[in-house]
C-alpha cells in the first residue's frame, strides 16, 4: 500500500492489522530508535513498514528479528553497489556506509503470553536525498555513494524479496557479526549511563575506553573486551561508538 503522506508508517500498520506493508513519501511524525526523529525529504527516500506475521517466536529470541531484518536490508543495498566492502550493520540495526548512516530500522513486537505473535518493521533508507537540514551528524544516501537515482518502489520490492529469503536459525549470529560495523580492531567507546566532561587538550574523558568486539549474546547484547582483557556486556543504548 502507498499513502503519499502519513504520520508514521509503523503507527499506521498498528492501527490497520489487515495491511501487510505501507510505503509513504513523507512522514509527519517519523520515528527512529528510542524516540529519535528521522529526517527525510519528501519523496526522496524509502520510508516503509512491513508486518511479519505468525512468528510464534519465543520472546527471549526476539533478537533474531533484528538480525533477519538487518541482514535483508544489508543484502538489498549491497545489490545496488558495485562493492559492499564499506557497507556494514551498526549494532544493533543501523546500516552504515563507512562511518556514515545510510538507514535505520525500528522494530516493534506484539507479544502474546511469552510468544511474539507478529512484528512491525519500520525502515528508513536514504536513497535519493542529497542535502540534510537537521543536526543528524553523519547521514549519507545511496545516490551520494553511486551518483545514480533510484526507484523507491523497486528498492522496496527488493527488500521484501530479501526479507522473505533470509533463513532463520543458528547461523544468523555468524552472518550478522560478519557484517558488523567495526567488528574487528580496537575502537573508542563511551558508556551512556554516566555523564562525561568535555575533552580537554585532546585527552579523552575517563568514561571513554578502548575495546574490541568480543561477542554477541543470544539476546543481542554486545560484549566488548577492553585493553585490560576485561569483558563488558551492554544492552542497546547503554554504550555508544565514538565516531
Amino acid at each position: 500500500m502507498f499513502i503519499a503522506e502519513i504520520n508514521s508508517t509503523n503507527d499506521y500498520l498498528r492501527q490497520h492489522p489487515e495491511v501487510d506493508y505501507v510505503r509513504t513519501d513523507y512522514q509527519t511524525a517519523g520515528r527512529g530508535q528510542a524516540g529519535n526523529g528521522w529526517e527525510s525529504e519528501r519523496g526522496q527516500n524509502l520510508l516503509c513498514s512491513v508486518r511479519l506475521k505468525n512468528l510464534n517466536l519465543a520472546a527471549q529470541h526476539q533478537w533474531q528479528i533484528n538480525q533477519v531484518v538487518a541482514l535483508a536490508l544489508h543484502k538489498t543495498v549491497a545489490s545496488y553497489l558495485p562493492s559492499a566492502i564499506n557497507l556494514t550493520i551498526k549494532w544493533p540495526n543501523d546500516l552504515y556506509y563507512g562511518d556514515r548512516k545510510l538507514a535505520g530500522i525500528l522494530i516493534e513486537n506484539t507479544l502474546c503470553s511469552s510468544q511474539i505473535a507478529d512484528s512491525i518493521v519500520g525502515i528508513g533508507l536514504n536513497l535519493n536525498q542529497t542535502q540534510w537540514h537537521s543536526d543528524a551528524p553523519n547521514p549519507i544516501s545511496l545516490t551520494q555513494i553511486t551518483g545514480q537515482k533510484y526507484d523507491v518502489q523497486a528498492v522496496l520490492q527488493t527488500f521484501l524479496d530479501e526479507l522473505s529469503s533470509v533463513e532463520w536459525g543458528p547461523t544468523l549470529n555468524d552472518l550478522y557479526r560478519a557484517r558488523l560495523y567495526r567488528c574487528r580492531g580496537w575502537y573508542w567507546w563511551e558508556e551512556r549511563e554516566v555523564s562525561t566532561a568535555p575533552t580537554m587538550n585532546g585527552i579523552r574523558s575517563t568514561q571513554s575506553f578502548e575495546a574490541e568486539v568480543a561477542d554477541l549474546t543470544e539476546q543481542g547484547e554486545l560484549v566488548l573486551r577492553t585493553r585490560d582483557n576485561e569483558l563488558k556486556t551492554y544492552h542497546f543504548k547503554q554504550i555508544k561508538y565514538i565516531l
Side-chain angles (χ1 to χ4, degrees):
M1 175 181 288
F2 172 75
I3 300 175
E5 182 174 308
I6 201 171
N7 62 342
S8 160
T9 55
N10 268 34
D11 289 350
Y12 184 88
L13 281 195
R14 190 181 305 105
Q15 296 160 7
H16 297 83
E18 75 283 2
V19 178
D20 289 338
Y21 76 86
V22 61
R23 177 175 75 82
T24 189
D25 276 345
Y26 187 73
Q27 293 184 114
T28 59
R31 291 179 288 122
Q33 288 283 3
N36 295 328
W38 183 266
E39 179 194 353
S40 181
E41 190 174 318
R42 186 181 297 271
Q44 296 302 303
N45 303 316
L46 175 58
L47 305 173
C48 69
S49 291
V50 179
R51 188 188 309 278
L52 302 180
K53 299 187 296 185
N54 303 317
L55 292 176
N56 296 319
L57 184 70
Q60 64 264 32
H61 296 149
Q62 62 182 306
W63 173 240
Q64 290 186 26
I65 301 173
N66 291 60
Q67 292 175 307
V68 165
V69 175
L71 287 167
L73 189 58
H74 183 281
K75 195 170 182 181
T76 296
V77 175
S79 69
Y80 294 97
L81 294 172
S83 170
I85 190 170
N86 292 318
L87 183 68
T88 57
I89 300 167
K90 179 173 172 285
W91 178 83
N93 50 17
D94 286 337
L95 207 62
Y96 262 44
Y97 187 83
D99 291 324
R100 300 179 68 181
K101 185 170 179 177
L102 184 61
I105 300 169
L106 177 63
I107 297 175
E108 298 175 308
N109 299 318
T110 300
L111 287 172
C112 182
S113 186
S114 61
Q115 300 285 110
I116 297 174
D118 63 17
S119 183
I120 295 175
V121 174
I123 300 293
L125 171 59
N126 299 329
L127 287 181
N128 299 313
Q129 188 164 340
T130 58
Q131 294 184 338
W132 312 91
H133 307 288
S134 73
D135 58 358
N138 60 341
I140 194 171
S141 68
L142 199 53
T143 196
Q144 287 178 309
I145 298 168
T146 67
Q148 301 178 31
K149 291 291 185 179
Y150 297 90
D151 181 279
V152 180
Q153 183 61 36
V155 175
L156 171 58
Q157 188 57 55
T158 301
F159 172 67
L160 294 174
D161 293 342
E162 295 295 351
L163 188 59
S164 65
S165 68
V166 176
E167 292 187 10
W168 298 65
T171 63
L172 280 176
N173 217 38
D174 289 339
L175 290 171
Y176 178 94
R177 184 171 175 181
R179 292 155 180 78
L180 190 63
Y181 176 68
R182 295 184 175 180
C183 64
R184 297 178 183 87
W186 296 88
Y187 296 95
W188 286 94
W189 305 76
E190 187 173 86
E191 293 181 345
R192 285 183 176 270
E193 293 90 345
V194 292
S195 61
T196 60
T199 300
M200 298 292 291
N201 300 321
I203 300 173
R204 292 184 182 277
S205 161
T206 56
Q207 304 301 335
S208 302
F209 62 96
E210 198 176 15
E212 64 176 355
V213 175
D215 202 1
L216 286 164
T217 72
E218 291 185 358
Q219 290 73 42
E221 298 161 312
L222 187 68
V223 183
L224 300 179
R225 180 184 290 108
T226 70
R227 288 288 192 181
D228 297 328
N229 208 34
E230 178 186 1
L231 293 178
K232 295 186 172 186
T233 302
Y234 296 94
H235 296 284
F236 175 53
K237 288 296 185 184
Q238 289 184 327
I239 189 75
K240 70 175 182 178
Y241 298 80
I242 296 178
L243 301 176

